[in-house]
Every structure is written in C-alpha cells, then in structure tokens.
Amino acid sequence: MKLTTHTPVVVSRAPEHEALKRAFDICFSLAAIVVLSPVLLITMLAIKLEDGGPIFYRSERIGRNGTPFLMWKFRSMAVDADRRVDDLIKRNGGSALLFKMKDDPRVTRVGRVIRKFSIDELPQLFNTLGGTMSVVGPRPQVQREVDEYAPEMFGRLAVSPGITGLWQVSGRSNLCPSVSKALDLYYAKHRTFLLDLGILAATFRAVLQSEGAY
C-alpha cells in the first residue's frame, strides 16, 4: 500500500526529537522485556496448555508511511479467528474501521484474562525494539481498515504505530469511532516527547482499571 497524492502532509518533528524517541523506545522495550520476563513465560505456558495452538499471533499491519509489517501478539483468540472476522464484521454493521466486539466469540478463556490487563500486547515490545513500532503512537491497523480511510485519516500513517497511545488511555474500545480517529490525528500532528511520557504514565493507570479492554 502506498500513500496517494491526496494524502494530507503532517508536519515532521525535528531530527533530535525523532532520535530521542527512538532511543527511548530501545531502552524502554529492553528494560520491559527483562522485567516482565516471568509474565511472558507464564502467559506462553497458559496459552499452550489451553488448546495446544500457537502461542503467538502474527498479523500484517500498516506502519509508518504505509509500510506493511508483521505485528506480534500473544494469541488471545481461537486458531480460526481470522477466517471468521469477515462474517462478524458483516453481522455487526459492515464497517472494518476500528472493528471491535465486546463479547467476541473468538476470544479464548486465557485470552479474556490477558486482554483485560493488556498482556496480549507485550510481544509488541519486540516490534518496538526492531523499529517497526514505537512505545507510543496510533493503534496499528490492518489493510482493510486503511482501505476505508477518508483522505484526512492518512495523516496517522506519518508516525509509527504504538503499543499505547491517546486512544488507549482515553477509554479504549468504549470510545466511538469518530473520537478514536480524532485522537489518532491529534497525536500525529502534536506529538512531543513530553506528551509521550504523559501517555505512558496514564497507560499504567488504564491497564490497572481495565476499562474498555476487550
């Protein structure tokens, strides 16, 4: 997927800002992987014991400047989840953009627990370490969501997708699509390192409260 000529331009940040953000991403992800290694190992064991399926879920997402990449997560759904998604989208309004279900029948028992506390997102620390994601940024989206973008929405692709972001700390899946879109675009246009630190601090509170997590 390539950005089109009508794609709005988002003002880029100074090189020193980008360098600081990348250095923070590397240091934070490395430290988090070490500190959370017991949680990672326990989660891997629980997923494998539940149904014997794959521990990790890899899915193509659209990253910065429209570049596809493979995003890693702990598998929280049944092994045939991707084959069932088109039918669920049709049965729940027909819009792929920001599609989420509160009681998604594809989610496993272990999946409900790790989603509640966002543990399923932890493998994205390796994406961040590799540079395809950032600690803070818009939620990574799949091609079918990008295909439904209005022209102004392409502005969110000017920055790397994040493990956490304004969407995640402002209500997560409880937000209506229009608010979620506005938050992503606001971040893309007004991002600063201090804003990133504020979002990260708010993330810990949001994870503990588990509001909007499903």
Side-chain angles (χ1 to χ4, degrees):
M1 197 281 295
K2 295 182 180 180
L3 300 186
T4 62
T5 55
H6 65 268
T7 300
V9 176
V10 176
V11 177
S12 61
R13 293 294 176 259
E16 56 269 23
H17 171 270
E18 297 296 336
L20 179 61
K21 184 175 177 66
R22 180 61 187 143
F24 178 79
D25 283 345
I26 293 172
C27 294
F28 182 91
S29 56
L30 276 174
I33 289 168
V34 172
V35 172
L36 296 172
S37 57
V39 177
L40 297 173
L41 292 172
I42 291 171
T43 304
M44 291 167 65
L45 181 62
I47 293 171
K48 196 65 178 179
L49 289 176
E50 181 171 22
D51 60 12
I55 292 171
F56 297 103
Y57 172 75
R58 294 182 302 167
S59 177
E60 184 179 272
R61 293 293 193 271
I62 306 303
R64 188 170 187 170
N65 298 322
T67 303
F69 71 98
L70 283 179
M71 186 188 74
W72 289 73
K73 297 179 71 172
F74 280 127
R75 183 174 61 85
S76 61
M77 291 188 174
V79 293
D80 64 345
D82 283 345
R83 294 195 296 270
R84 297 160 61 185
V85 67
D86 289 339
D87 181 60
L88 289 173
I89 289 173
K90 291 178 182 178
R91 288 160 49 188
N92 289 272
S95 177
L97 187 58
L98 299 172
F99 173 73
K100 272 232 173 185
M101 289 182 63
K102 188 169 185 177
D103 296 306
D104 196 316
R106 300 171 297 165
V107 179
T108 64
R109 288 176 298 175
V110 171
R112 295 195 185 282
V113 175
I114 63 177
R115 281 180 166 222
K116 182 177 181 180
F117 298 102
S118 299
I119 296 172
D120 60 317
E121 311 285 353
L122 293 181
Q124 291 167 34
L125 290 167
F126 294 97
N127 282 114
T128 300
L129 193 60
T132 54
M133 290 183 64
S134 182
V135 174
V136 179
R139 185 172 70 91
Q141 296 190 313
V142 297
Q143 185 65 59
R144 67 172 181 272
E145 293 177 297
V146 176
D147 289 342
E148 293 190 4
Y149 277 4
E152 66 273 10
M153 280 298 292
F154 284 95
R156 77 192 302 281
L157 297 179
V159 297
S160 297
I163 300 175
T164 187
L166 279 176
W167 176 84
Q168 291 91 328
V169 302
S170 303
R172 300 161 94 177
S173 298
N174 286 338
L175 298 176
C176 66
S178 61
V179 173
S180 299
K181 296 173 188 177
L183 289 172
D184 282 343
L185 290 174
Y186 178 89
Y187 177 81
K189 293 178 181 179
H190 302 286
R191 64 194 185 279
T192 65
F193 187 64
L194 288 179
L195 177 60
D196 282 4
L197 292 180
I199 291 172
L200 190 58
T203 297
F204 294 109
R205 182 177 68 251
V207 169
L208 291 175
Q209 293 175 344
S210 302
E211 185 175 354
Y214 53 82

